[in-house]
Amino acid sequence: MRRALAGIALAVTSMVALSFLVPLALLVREQARDRATTAAEQRAAALSPVLALTTRRADVQQAVAEIGSADRLAVRLPGGELVGAPHAPRDALDRAVRRRETLSVDTADGWVHLQPVVLPGDRVAVVEAYVPAADLTRGVAASWGVMALLALGLVGGSVLVADRLGAHVVRSSRGLKRASLALGSGDLDVRVEPDGPPELQEAGAAFNTMADRVVDLLAVERELVADLSHRLRTPLTALYLEADRMGATESARRVTEAAVQLESELDSIITAARTPLAAARPGTAAPAKPCDVSEVVAARLEFWSVLAAQQERPYERYLTPRPTPVRFAEDDLAAVVDALIGNVFRHTPEGTAFAVRVERERRHVLLTVDDAGPGVSDPVAALTRGVSVGGSTGLGLDIVARTARAADGDLTIDRAPLGGARVRVSLTLEG
């Protein structure tokens, strides 16, 4: 913007300066010429009374010496004698004598003025006033130089002023841009000082209002999440009571383990929701400790294997023997595995087979869950938050996708060799 404003100021000021400078330069040249020619005409006119009184050569020479100089003033006497050094062409001089008219002639060396003087006896004398070419333009170059310097100063000053104004506008807009980027990256305390033109001041005030509103909405959302999580403690208590009534059975143990895990997740959610917004910004939390994908998947498969046996679901597993460390919280990775396997149990009929694979590539670990169910007809919709393709909340795969992206990975949905859906998560290897 600064460059554009400076360019506009340069173009406009240059056009204005030229529109005045060119006519003024021509006028200065004409005035210099008029000044020199007028002085020459005055010298010629001053010699005319002398010729009316006498045409003696000696008297005329003395008059020429007193009025001007022999190289600037000359006289052609009636008899054809010349006093001084004439510069006029011969034909112009003869014409002035013959027609008795005043002539002005431009020559290669300057300008000549011929003034005929009619004497008694029908005699004609001609006074010649000569102006060298240097005198015709004396002072013109200096005047042009002064005008050019003034024009350059005007143009430079206008460009400088436009650049300063542009810098003020650009500084304000850049400050607004930096604040917007900071707010987008999670700095909820960033605000701008409204500055610059009225439009940018209004934009800055609107940004501050928006930032305050975002903080308020996030606070309300976090309180709502904490309240909803707290409400789940009531059915969780009912699960504990139901497990106690079931006695010391395997089912009771599994229910108790699930309830303990759910309570731990609820505690984590409530703690995160109650954390001040400033402490919950991206990048402020301590980095997660590395965990091994194969180990986490093996542990979660052991949990799901009991339910698979009850529903007569055959499953295959392949866990690479090579280390698969990723910088990811173990609980978060377990939630990803549970979401993928849970979708198989939730969206396919009992008895449907599935397979879980963990493979290592050069820079990534691939976690793949296949099933022999009906598959996913619309993978794009399945990855859209809040859109369900099977009667659920539509959050499971979206949570997995966001988790994968947080670990510099990706999630894809395709057709599995078993005939159903294939969901593959790519996670970046640690180190």
Side-chain angles (χ1 to χ4, degrees), residues 76-80 96-98 100 116-126:
R76 182 184 184 278
L77 297 175
V97 174
R98 184 174 61 255
R100 302 179 183 183
V117 179
V118 180
L119 302 176
D122 198 27
R123 296 178 303 159
V124 177
V126 178

Side-chain angles (χ1 to χ4, degrees), residues 296-318:
V296 175
V297 172
R300 299 316 300 161
L301 271 177
E302 183 179 355
F303 172 81
W304 287 99
S305 63
V306 178
L307 184 58
Q310 292 178 355
Q311 294 186 2
E312 297 181 351
R313 291 178 181 269
Y315 69 92
E316 298 178 0
R317 54 178 280 179
Y318 171 77

Side-chain angles (χ1 to χ4, degrees), residues 12-272:
V12 173
T13 313
S14 298
M15 288 188 294
V16 173
L18 287 176
S19 65
F20 283 96
L21 188 62
V22 172
L24 188 59
L26 296 177
L27 179 61
V28 168
R29 187 179 66 179
E30 290 299 322
Q31 285 183 340
R33 181 183 178 90
D34 290 344
R35 183 176 62 251
T37 57
T38 300
E41 291 174 357
Q42 290 174 351
R43 289 195 300 270
L47 194 59
S48 296
V50 176
L51 294 174
L53 296 175
T54 179
T55 58
R56 291 178 55 192
R57 181 181 180 83
D59 295 336
V60 174
Q61 285 181 340
Q62 183 179 359
V64 168
E66 293 177 354
I67 296 175
S69 59
D71 61 338
R72 298 292 182 92
L73 198 61
V75 178
R76 182 184 184 278
L77 297 175
E81 293 181 89
L82 295 174
V83 177
H87 296 83
R90 184 70 180 181
D91 56 345
L93 190 60
D94 292 342
R95 179 181 174 185
V97 174
R98 184 174 61 255
R99 297 187 179 183
R100 302 179 183 183
E101 62 179 354
T102 302
L103 298 177
S104 295
V105 181
D106 286 314
T107 66
D109 298 328
W111 179 83
V112 176
H113 175 70
L114 299 177
Q115 176 67 53
V117 179
V118 180
L119 302 176
D122 198 27
R123 296 178 303 159
V124 177
V126 178
V127 179
E128 174 190 306
Y130 169 70
V131 179
D135 289 357
L136 292 175
T137 58
R138 187 179 302 279
V140 173
S143 300
W144 284 3
V146 172
M147 289 188 293
L149 290 177
L150 290 176
L152 290 176
L154 177 62
V155 173
S158 64
V159 172
L160 180 61
V161 171
D163 180 73
R164 291 299 88 198
L165 292 175
H168 186 52
V169 175
V170 170
R171 183 168 57 251
S172 302
S173 60
R174 285 179 177 173
L176 186 59
K177 171 189 172 183
R178 287 192 296 268
S180 301
L181 293 176
L183 181 63
S185 63
D187 186 0
L188 301 180
D189 292 333
V190 65
R191 297 295 185 272
V192 298
E193 184 67 28
D195 193 13
E199 294 80 3
L200 283 180
Q201 293 183 16
E202 293 176 1
F207 173 85
N208 291 338
T209 302
M210 178 193 67
D212 294 337
R213 183 59 176 164
V214 168
V215 172
D216 294 340
L217 290 176
L218 285 176
V220 172
E221 180 182 0
R222 294 169 72 84
E223 289 296 328
L224 179 60
V225 170
D227 292 344
L228 291 177
S229 301
H230 188 73
R231 292 179 186 179
L232 292 177
R233 291 188 179 277
T234 299
L236 184 60
T237 302
L239 284 178
Y240 279 123
L241 295 176
E242 186 64 26
D244 289 340
R245 294 192 188 99
M246 294 171 63
T249 63
E250 180 64 23
S251 298
R253 185 187 65 81
R254 293 183 65 252
V255 171
T256 302
E257 289 179 358
V260 170
Q261 182 180 1
L262 179 57
E263 185 175 18
S264 176
E265 293 292 339
L266 289 177
D267 290 339
S268 299
I269 293 174
I270 293 174
T271 301

